[in-house]
Amino acid sequence: MGYERSPAYVPGQKGAYKLSRSRIENFIRCPRCFWLAQRLKIDQPSSPPFLINSAIDTLLKAEFDVYREKGEPHPWQIEFKVDAKPFAHKDLERWRHTFTGVQHLHEPTNLLIFGGVDDVWVTPDDELVVVDYKATAKNKEITDLEDSKWHDSYRRQMEVYQWLLRGEGHKVSDTGYFVYANGIASGKGFFNKVEFRTNIFPYKGSDKWVEPTLAKIKETLEGDMPKENPDCEYCAYARARTQLTLDAIKATSKTEPA
Ligand code: SF4
């Protein structure tokens, strides 16, 4: 089955509008780019996916599935004192699939939000725990998300999944976990092998911002094109290029014989 491009939003539309979790992130970054993508289907050029990261995600999923099947905690959950084990549920496959994911129709806006979660664990009190796998290669040990703004999108990602699972009627813990695999680049050579050190650490989320943001998204979808971000280098580039093209057209039309 081929991937179908999602339709543009039509102002005043009666039917639900499907919006992925990453589109909420796009809106937070720049309402104008979001508007261009959803209303006119003009997307920023995409960059190629990080296939090494996807491979690590796939392997981590397979590894946690072994313990899910046994109904036991993964040894890392014991090492990092996480009081939970991989959750087995009939919907897990759908929750993890990019194009279906965990879904919730937000009735006040009629936006159908969805997103594929990496993993879900369960506590002894039957609370679901959102889990996000990350892979990187940094010199220092990664034991938290640090204070950087760069990681705000990771925080929001986890909070949207918590909101989505609650929307599907589950009891969800505010505490989620990052499974962070860090590639070690200090060996004597590659030899077809990269060693990783994986840490698991908690993050306490709050999904309070999600619904007010959906209300703003709806308002933006219904409205005119928002202003650009003056600091954005993409918009500066697009403007400069357009101006150059217009100047070139003008110059050519002046030199052409009547
Ligand atoms: S400022 Fe322009 S290019 Fe940059 S994110 Fe917004 S609309 Fe897109």
Side-chain angles (χ1 to χ4, degrees):
M1 196 176 71
Y3 170 59
E4 276 176 41
R5 221 163 166 241
S6 62
Y9 182 84
V10 181
Q13 76 171 56
K14 292 279 172 276
Y17 187 65
K18 212 173 162 198
L19 207 59
S20 70
R21 176 208 68 78
S22 57
R23 296 287 172 174
I24 299 179
E25 197 54 37
N26 289 357
F27 173 78
I28 291 168
R29 278 201 209 118
C30 176
R32 182 184 178 101
C33 239
F34 169 85
W35 188 94
L36 285 165
Q38 306 311 134
R39 283 279 300 270
L40 303 183
K41 304 312 289 177
I42 300 172
D43 265 307
Q44 261 191 17
S46 55
S47 38
F50 295 114
L51 295 177
I52 286 278
N53 295 53
S54 310
I56 293 166
D57 270 19
T58 305
L59 292 171
L60 280 171
K61 278 178 188 161
E63 184 173 330
F64 276 97
D65 281 350
V66 171
Y67 292 90
R68 192 180 328 273
E69 227 165 82
K70 289 194 213 168
E72 291 173 9
H74 184 292
W76 282 339
Q77 292 173 312
I78 297 164
E79 180 186 342
F80 290 97
K81 300 190 173 33
V82 180
D83 198 9
K85 61 180 184 178
F87 184 50
H89 189 273
K90 63 174 179 47
D91 291 333
L92 188 71
E93 262 326 291
R94 168 173 66 83
W95 290 345
R96 297 208 288 197
H97 198 283
T98 318
F99 298 135
T100 49
V102 194
Q103 301 197 354
H104 180 53
L105 177 70
H106 180 242
E107 282 176 9
T109 56
N110 217 10
L111 295 173
L112 177 63
I113 310 300
F114 71 99
V117 68
D118 283 339
D119 204 351
V120 179
W121 299 344
V122 62
T123 69
D125 298 333
D126 290 326
E127 276 195 325
L128 302 195
V129 175
V130 173
V131 181
D132 200 13
Y133 305 147
K134 297 282 179 219
T136 189
K138 287 190 182 165
N139 285 334
K140 60 179 189 139
E141 187 96 348
I142 302 168
T143 52
D144 59 30
L145 282 187
E146 301 166 344
D147 242 358
S148 74
K149 260 200 123 12
W150 167 252
H151 287 130
D152 282 354
S153 63
Y154 290 179
R155 296 182 181 91
R156 285 192 290 264
Q157 183 178 1
M158 184 162 284
E159 289 160 348
V160 172
Y161 288 128
Q162 291 175 342
W163 179 81
L164 282 170
L165 279 168
R166 286 179 184 126
E168 286 208 18
H170 296 278
K171 195 164 79 160
V172 181
S173 171
D174 281 341
T175 303
Y177 283 87
F178 287 96
V179 176
Y180 227 109
N182 192 13
I184 301 164
S186 58
K188 291 214 164 22
F190 174 46
F191 308 113
N192 263 343
K193 200 163 139 190
V194 179
E195 295 268 347
F196 283 84
R197 162 77 186 148
T198 301
N199 280 329
I200 297 184
F201 54 84
Y203 168 67
K204 193 162 187 245
S206 163
D207 66 12
K208 287 198 170 50
W209 61 272
V210 176
E211 298 202 19
T213 304
L214 295 181
K216 281 191 212 148
I217 286 179
K218 180 73 173 187
E219 211 180 297
T220 302
L221 286 169
E222 287 287 333
D224 295 334
M225 182 163 70
K227 287 199 177 63
E228 70 184 56
N229 172 356
D231 300 329
C232 174
E233 53 188 24
Y234 292 109
C235 244
Y237 168 78
R239 211 180 319 104
R241 245 202 103 122
T242 307
Q243 193 54 52
L244 205 64
T245 312
L246 291 174
D247 291 350
I249 293 169
K250 217 156 128 197
T252 319
S253 64
K254 266 190 202 155
T255 51
E256 266 173 15

